[in-house]
Amino acid sequence: MQSTGFAHWLIVVVEIGAAIALMVLALGVVVIASMWFIDRNQKANSVLRNFPVVGHFRYWFLHLGEFFRQYLYSSDREEMPFNRAERTWVYRAAKNVDNTAAFGSSRDLRAEGVPFFVNAPFPDLGQEHVEPVPVTIGPYAREPYSHSAFFNISAMSFGALSAPAVRALSRGAAKAGIWMDTGEGGLAPYHLEGGCDIVFEIGTAKYGVRTPDGQLDDDKLLAICAHKQVKMVSIKLGQGAKPGMGGLLPAAKVTREIAEIRGIPVGKDSQSPNRHLDIGNIHQLLDKIAHIRELTGKPVGFKAVLGGVDWIGDLCDEVKKRGIQSAPDFIIVDGSEGGTGAAPQTLMEGVGLPLHEALPALLDMLITKGLRERVKVICSGKCITAYDVAWALSIGADFVNSARGFMLALGCIQSLQCNRNTCPTGITTQNTKLQRGLVVADKSERVFHYADNLMHEVGIIAHSCGVSEPRELNRSHCRVVGNDGLSVPLETLYPYPKVAKLPENA
Ligand SMILES: Cc1cc2nc3c(=O)[nH]c(=O)nc-3n(C[C@H](O)[C@H](O)[C@H](O)COP(=O)(O)O)c2cc1C
């Protein structure tokens, strides 16, 4: 009796299952037929018009390739902007795990553009690396700034970055003894949290220090510079990734807090102008530098991406007329390979000089005009490993900044979504659910270790080259491989120019 009942129920279940399967099948046929009809008759996409339905696989694979390529297919030294070998170096430095390699280098030492360093025949016995000595920026400011660390955190705004990212950078920077640049989004409490030195950036929209019509509000700037942590003020003229263009902060990222800090309306797109309204030539630039230095007492300089250096020469000539104290205390030169939260690809890839041309050109112009000692040079542009930084010091930079190196230290996986508020690691998103992934206490340690280990390794290179501190590296200490696979010293590629004599009144 019982088994007859069970058989009955089994038949009913099988019949219902078969009916559902038939319905799903019928629905599938209808969906595929509709897709086929739509694809076949649409006029915008030739692949789908010729290969309805199956053509979609091309787009799925293209999309999935973005994610799988870095794990399965790309070789260690292939990807852009940073290949796996470079990223891994940063991750390991940040995690403070052993960064030694076995068996030999996978780096092709005959590839064009590869730099390497010239070791001294008799290295110093007592030590394995050398430490930097302090450099003073802004000797004519009321509060000159002396700073040893040659590797520091480049401008990234609160807004482009999340609050936990800024907090982790601030704490890590304090522990490593390096500065953090606020970027153009104003000064947030998160920047101050760790107690690190701060470079305050004034962007073209003057976020955080603006009047309602976008002019500089002296009182707001004074209030910001009243914080002891704020050591210097940087006027941003431009940025390597988007020369000649202001930035857009999309409405989704303009939260109440960000709007308050920046001095703009909540939840509306915020467009910064292509240049400062009040800086349209070198005279106005020097006037503004003098005004801010006098107002705040801090060293003042500017950040620019260079298309050439003739205008820097004109600026130096004008400085000589006004007197050497009128010079910018520093120039931050950003290579065209620099990163950003968002910029048009055409500008990112096709406008402005890359760092390996811009840095020597800037330095040589300053040397030629006799202002090299007066104007400190800070550079940025894909300098994320010890080699890159040692190369920049060898060319002559006083300091090297990095933005994306520190993003990698924070756990960035290079998913290239900084412009979409969907950053999977919580670094460049205002979505609090995604920010949860970034644990400040852990990531601040990584920021510290990254900076610390990188500077230590540059110190090892400098020691091996036989100099007593990293900034003594010069163009004779580094060689770069040419297109014939043979290396030439930097001093041959970029010969030092003659030093000009300053006029009596300077
Ligand atoms: C997410 C992000 C935000 C940035 N925001 C700013 C900014 O507010 N102001 C600025 O001058 N540069 C900004 N930059 C540019 C960096 O400061 C830096 O000049 C450039 O990325 C080159 O350094 P890197 O190659 O180490 O990233 C930003 C870069 C990134 C990746």
Side-chain angles (χ1 to χ4, degrees):
M1 252 335 254
Q2 244 184 4
S3 64
T4 321
F6 177 72
H8 174 74
W9 279 112
L10 197 63
I11 289 165
V12 172
V13 168
V14 169
E15 278 176 358
I16 292 174
I20 291 174
L22 265 176
M23 273 162 59
V24 170
L25 200 67
L27 196 69
V29 170
V30 172
V31 168
I32 289 173
S34 315
M35 275 176 78
W36 189 92
F37 183 79
I38 293 168
D39 287 350
R40 186 86 187 151
N41 292 298
Q42 55 80 35
K43 293 184 176 147
N45 188 313
S46 353
V47 172
L48 295 181
R49 206 167 150 81
N50 286 342
F51 303 94
V53 183
V54 287
H56 285 280
F57 282 105
R58 173 175 192 276
Y59 300 100
W60 287 329
F61 289 146
L62 266 182
H63 179 63
L64 291 176
E66 226 179 88
F67 305 105
F68 285 115
R69 208 171 297 128
Q70 69 164 305
Y71 300 111
L72 299 178
Y73 307 113
S74 300
S75 77
D76 279 356
R77 304 215 175 244
E78 194 169 72
E79 289 163 279
M80 291 293 263
F82 301 103
N83 63 43
R84 193 187 295 134
E86 291 165 327
R87 295 197 309 270
T88 305
W89 189 89
V90 176
Y91 294 146
R92 295 180 73 81
K95 289 179 188 163
N96 200 27
V97 294
D98 181 17
N99 232 341
T100 55
F103 201 58
S105 171
S106 68
R107 193 180 193 210
D108 180 1
L109 297 178
R110 284 174 304 175
E112 193 176 351
V114 165
F116 53 82
F117 297 86
V118 180
N119 59 299
F122 307 107
D124 189 76
L125 270 181
Q127 52 191 358
E128 281 179 357
H129 87 288
V130 289
E131 294 281 348
V133 298
V135 169
T136 299
I137 310 175
Y140 298 93
R142 288 195 299 282
E143 297 171 35
Y145 177 44
S146 282
H147 189 67
S148 299
F150 50 81
F151 186 60
N152 297 278
I153 302 177
S154 194
M156 287 180 284
S157 62
F158 170 52
L161 295 188
S162 66
V166 176
R167 293 175 58 209
L169 287 172
S170 168
R171 290 196 202 178
K175 195 163 173 188
I178 63 177
W179 76 56
M180 175 186 193
D181 189 317
T182 59
E184 62 183 309
L187 180 73
Y190 311 118
H191 290 113
L192 299 170
E193 180 177 308
C196 65
D197 288 355
I198 299 282
V199 176
F200 180 72
E201 181 176 90
I202 305 179
T204 56
K206 299 191 170 65
Y207 290 129
V209 289
R210 58 188 265 125
T211 59
D213 59 346
Q215 299 291 345
L216 182 65
D217 185 323
D218 283 357
D219 292 336
K220 287 186 181 166
L221 182 58
L222 265 180
I224 281 175
C225 289
H227 291 284
K228 279 270 168 289
Q229 279 172 253
V230 176
K231 302 293 183 187
M232 305 201 289
V233 178
S234 167
I235 301 171
K236 176 186 169 182
L237 298 185
Q239 167 182 349
K242 42 184 174 182
M245 194 182 193
L248 176 79
L249 190 69
K253 281 191 163 188
V254 187
T255 61
R256 179 164 301 283
E257 188 183 31
I258 287 171
E260 264 169 30
I261 289 169
R262 293 191 178 214
I264 51 171
V266 185
K268 288 197 180 144
D269 283 350
S270 180
Q271 179 77 50
S272 45
N274 297 336
R275 71 161 168 83
H276 288 267
L277 305 179
D278 47 0
I279 305 177
N281 53 52
I282 53 163
H283 305 281
Q284 291 174 348
L285 176 58
L286 288 176
D287 291 346
K288 194 54 71 185
I289 289 171
H291 170 71
I292 296 175
R293 188 164 43 214
E294 181 52 34
L295 180 76
T296 64
K298 317 267 176 184
V300 183
F302 64 87
K303 173 172 179 173
V305 47
L306 300 177
V309 287
D310 288 351
W311 71 276
I312 299 283
D314 295 343
L315 183 119
C316 293
D317 291 340
E318 181 61 22
V319 165
K320 288 188 205 167
K321 281 190 209 149
R322 295 184 183 204
I324 196 165
Q325 74 288 346
S326 69
D329 295 310
F330 60 87
I331 297 177
I332 305 176
V333 52
D334 198 26
S336 59
E337 62 275 71
T340 175
Q345 195 168 353
T346 312
L347 276 186
M348 223 186 253
E349 292 174 356
V351 184
L353 296 182
L355 193 63
H356 66 272
E357 294 198 29
L359 179 60
L362 170 66
L363 285 160
D364 290 353
M365 182 55 85
L366 292 173
I367 294 171
T368 307
K369 299 288 181 180
L371 288 176
R372 176 63 194 95
E373 275 311 304
R374 170 70 181 90
V375 182
K376 298 303 175 215
V377 171
I378 305 166
C379 72
S380 50
K382 290 181 77 170
C383 294
I384 69 162
T385 66
Y387 298 132
D388 306 324
V389 174
W391 167 86
L393 295 181
S394 300
I395 295 268
D398 296 297
F399 300 92
V400 179
N401 275 350
S402 175
R404 287 169 293 175
F406 283 98
M407 288 172 70
L408 292 169
L410 286 172
C412 166
I413 57 168
Q414 195 168 276
S415 65
L416 310 180
Q417 298 182 34
C418 312
N419 56 343
R420 284 191 232 152
N421 210 22
T422 51
C423 170
T425 54
I427 300 171
T428 57
T429 175
Q430 300 308 317
N431 179 334
T432 45
K433 286 192 187 126
L434 291 169
Q435 289 177 4
R436 193 181 163 277
L438 199 162
V439 178
V440 174
D442 176 64
K443 294 299 189 280
S444 59
E445 282 299 298
R446 294 199 188 183
V447 168
F448 156 61
H449 284 305
Y450 170 50
D452 197 49
N453 283 326
L454 183 143
M455 286 193 280
H456 183 84
E457 296 211 5
V458 173
I460 292 177
I461 293 175
H463 170 264
S464 181
C465 291
V467 296
S468 61
E469 76 114 347
R471 289 191 188 88
E472 278 179 13
L473 287 170
N474 64 41
R475 296 181 196 177
S476 70
H477 291 121
C478 180
R479 300 174 69 96
V480 176
V481 178
N483 59 9
D484 55 0
L486 298 175
S487 69
V488 281
L490 285 182
E491 60 185 344
T492 306
L493 278 179
Y494 315 112
Y496 286 109
K498 293 219 160 45
V499 183
K501 271 222 166 337
L502 281 179
E504 290 300 307
N505 65 346

